[in-house]
Amino acid sequence: MPVTVVGSVAYDSIQTPSGSRDRCLGGAATYFSLAASYFTQVRVIAVVGEDFGREQEAVFHARGIDTLGIERAPGKSFFWKGSYLENLNEAKTHETELNVFAEFEPKIPLSYRDTDYLFLANIDPVLQRRVREAMPNVELVAGDTMNYWIRDHRTSLLRVLRNLDILLINDTETRMLAGQNNLVVAARAVLAMGPKTLVVKHGEYGATSFRSGDSGGELRVFRAPALPLEEVVDPTGAGDSFAGGFFGYLCSQGQLTPSKFRRAMFYGSVMGSFAVERFGTERLQQLSRDEIEARFALFRELTHLD
Ligand code: AMP
């Protein structure tokens, strides 16, 4: 079952303890699409500027990703500059230039309208909401956001959260959104804002899902680990790749059962673990399904009790 994603398609300049890259292909929707493309058909809604080259577009096409919904507009593409010199688990943002995204009016191609699964990747919540409203018949909607939008665009973000099935954010964002330090208390507060399920990403420590029990009171919690890695070359896009593996797998399965949900958490961790092995999207461009399954087996071994 295809998934449609809206979010940033960008140029990133990144500095990590392993080195740096200037203006490489990035963006939340880019990482999400590449990761999800190993599980299901992906359709992208975004905007890029005149500086976006054929070489970058070819990265999407090589993975069979539908780019009909990527508009080309006069101006420059979204640009983000970040570093991980002090903390590999959290990016320090140096520059964010929305550029063509500042004036973006998302248009949904007719061929995308039958999509049942929608992912609202990190971008202005106003744009996330417009796309959500233009696709009222979707069956399952998941989304992501970041500190930038939580801090400065809270009201429009809260409107998006009301209509989300699954929200995926990291620890710091969860605490920031809820205004609570304790993760469980914060998770409860975020669930009260609308999402039926919250997936909290913990960087190198994995991810935890929280869902209210049927009677409302009790929280159902599940944790997937991350793979302990000797070297993390570039953490950029790990969260979006987690989301792509997680949601791409769910979309490929049709109906959502608790067991499929738990597997999706592991596939999310698998794709996140690949993303950080090289700079930018390099690793995600050239994986095989066999490599993905071999790593899934490693995750099994990591957690399985006889
Ligand atoms: P993450 O998975 O959190 O590491 O996401 C990294 C990606 O998010 C980078 O490729 C950036 O281009 C993109 N990004 C950074 N800031 C923003 C923002 N404010 N809105 C949308 N995308 C962003």
Side-chain angles (χ1 to χ4, degrees), residues 130-188:
R130 274 195 211 141
V131 172
R132 171 69 184 94
E133 284 173 359
M135 300 180 75
N137 298 325
V138 286
E139 262 177 38
L140 194 69
V141 190
D144 190 359
T145 190
M146 73 182 291
N147 52 10
Y148 183 83
W149 307 112
I150 297 173
R151 204 177 39 230
D152 301 335
H153 298 253
R154 192 177 173 86
T155 311
S156 39
L157 178 63
L158 289 177
R159 281 203 199 109
V160 173
L161 298 187
R162 265 182 236 148
N163 295 309
L164 269 193
D165 294 301
I166 308 171
L167 173 67
L168 296 101
I169 47 179
N170 71 27
D171 291 280
T172 318
E173 291 154 358
T174 306
R175 294 187 167 100
M176 192 179 191
L177 181 59
Q180 296 282 351
N181 256 333
N182 177 286
L183 189 67
V184 181
V185 177
R188 220 184 260 287

